Amino acid sequence: MEALLCRKLGDPTVSLEDNDSSIVLSKNHPIPQLDSPTAVRVRIKATSLNFANYLQILGKYQEKPSLPFIPGSDFSGYVDAVGPKVSNFRVGDPVCSFAGLGSFAQFIVVDESQLFRVPQGCDLVAAGALAVAFGTSHVALVHRAQLASGQVLLVLGAAGGVGLAAVQIGKACGAIVIAVARGAEKVQLLKSLGVDHVVDLGSENVTESVKKFLQTRRLKGVDVLYDPVGGKLTKESLRLLKWGANILIIGFASGEVPVIPVNVALVKNWTVHGLYWGSYKIHRPGVLEDSVKELLSWLARGLISIHISHSYPPSEANFAFSAMKDRKVIGKVMIVFDEKHTRSKL
């Protein structure tokens, strides 16, 4: 089978044919075999790139697997083979899921308890981008911050994968959503999703723009801050939070870890949530299962949509990582298998 192997830590944007490339496309990698009576082998249709995958190949992620390894987390595809005790799936069923590693390949083996059936009418490629980005935002907003209808949600990095998920989940929960992004194209997409107010970092000051909006709507401040960016933007956004606000720390795409003044958090009764979504698979797997099931239900009902910005075949994985690195992505980047597929922007 075809598989993208990380053979050494380094920059995944280098051409796969270059000797300095950290990843290589293996075309004869062994197909994984069923390893338990309840195992299911999935022929992968699509797998998404997440910022964590990029950091892991660089060697800068908190989890550091032994080399060589097949990167990749969330995926979708069709059931290819089942163990003798599998009862919930049959060969040919459309499914999606997530794994710690291994989805940047044509086949993957997982236990049936970790698979989710993709509802009829849902796009299978899009379903391959659901689990991590939307799962992160759903667990953060619904499970941790308990976002309620009428509350004000401020989303930083709102045009990225988790950001677009957060604004849509916020609207599905009935929140007043403020989104921060950069550039006219990103702003237009966010407005099309029904975001109540969008701040364009290219031409506006976050604090001034949001305060003006809050005053216009006679709102006291932000109830929930969703922050996958970090850096100076976090510091600015803290000025907008009301008493009793929830702060969701999702990541540090800016490359700078912010400092949150705990004395201010004390006085204003803020709650700071660190969210490492992947660890829920170990400590609270039931939360993840319920989250993904609800998201698939929302996807089938049209309450959320998955915007695929770029799609590539595995042979052009370096271009996929470049799009992410250069911040050209609006939504998700996908690697699609088994198609006569050229580099595209969808």
Side-chain angles (χ1 to χ4, degrees), residues 11-312:
D11 186 358
T13 67
V14 176
S15 171
L16 270 62
E17 298 178 359
D18 194 306
N19 289 332
D20 291 330
S21 175
S22 58
I23 53 175
V24 62
L25 179 61
S26 171
K27 296 189 176 182
N28 295 294
H29 198 78
I31 295 175
Q33 301 301 305
L34 300 179
D35 53 8
S36 79
T38 56
V40 177
R41 185 168 63 214
V42 177
R43 185 180 186 94
I44 292 178
K45 172 77 170 180
T47 180
S48 80
L49 266 68
N50 297 286
F51 194 60
N53 304 135
Y54 175 65
L55 291 176
Q56 196 167 53
I57 294 171
L58 286 173
K60 296 181 178 180
Y61 196 59
Q62 53 260 40
E63 294 179 358
K64 296 177 172 60
S66 301
L67 294 168
F69 65 90
I70 300 174
S73 42
D74 43 358
F75 62 90
S76 61
Y78 296 99
V79 172
D80 176 73
V82 297
K85 292 190 176 181
V86 171
S87 57
N88 296 322
F89 298 97
R90 297 179 179 179
V91 172
D93 283 346
V95 293
C96 67
S97 189
F98 53 92
L101 292 169
S103 72
F104 289 3
Q106 283 184 300
F107 294 93
I108 191 169
V109 171
V110 298
D111 192 82
E112 72 165 331
S113 63
Q114 298 175 14
L115 276 181
F116 302 90
R117 190 184 308 276
V118 177
Q120 187 175 1
C122 291
D123 181 75
L124 191 60
V125 172
L130 179 82
V132 174
F134 277 83
T136 295
S137 297
H138 185 270
V139 170
L141 294 171
V142 177
H143 179 67
R144 297 293 291 277
Q146 298 182 6
L147 182 66
S149 179
Q151 287 191 316
V152 179
L153 167 65
L154 174 60
V155 180
L156 308 183
V162 293
L164 278 180
V167 298
Q168 292 186 69
I169 291 168
K171 294 304 294 183
C173 291
I176 299 166
V177 179
I178 302 170
V180 180
R182 186 186 299 274
E185 187 179 0
K186 295 177 180 179
V187 168
Q188 188 58 42
L189 174 61
L190 289 163
K191 288 182 177 179
S192 74
L193 293 173
V195 172
D196 297 275
H197 182 66
V198 184
V199 182
D200 185 348
L201 280 177
S203 59
E204 296 178 280
N205 176 275
V206 173
T207 305
E208 292 177 1
S209 179
V210 174
K211 279 186 175 181
K212 185 177 180 180
F213 170 76
L214 293 172
Q215 290 169 359
T216 300
R217 296 285 290 267
R218 297 182 178 180
L219 298 165
K220 293 182 179 180
V222 171
D223 295 285
V224 179
L225 171 62
Y226 183 94
D227 184 9
V229 178
K232 295 180 180 179
L233 198 54
T234 303
K235 185 177 179 180
E236 288 185 52
S237 301
L238 294 178
R239 300 170 186 166
L240 301 165
L241 302 185
K242 66 190 297 187
W243 186 95
N246 284 277
I247 302 169
L248 294 164
I249 306 300
I250 308 301
F252 314 106
S254 68
E256 182 182 343
V257 178
V259 174
I260 297 175
V262 293
N263 58 324
V264 180
L266 183 152
V267 173
K268 293 194 174 184
N269 280 269
W270 291 342
T271 302
V272 182
H273 305 267
L275 186 84
Y276 175 28
W277 181 82
S279 65
Y280 270 78
K281 190 173 183 179
I282 299 170
H283 300 287
R284 299 283 180 85
V287 172
L288 289 193
E289 182 179 353
D290 292 344
S291 174
V292 174
K293 285 180 178 178
E294 182 165 45
L295 287 168
L296 284 168
S297 171
W298 287 1
L299 185 64
R301 292 156 54 196
L303 294 178
I304 57 173
S305 61
I306 299 171
H307 184 82
I308 299 176
S309 177
H310 296 71
S311 180
Y312 299 88

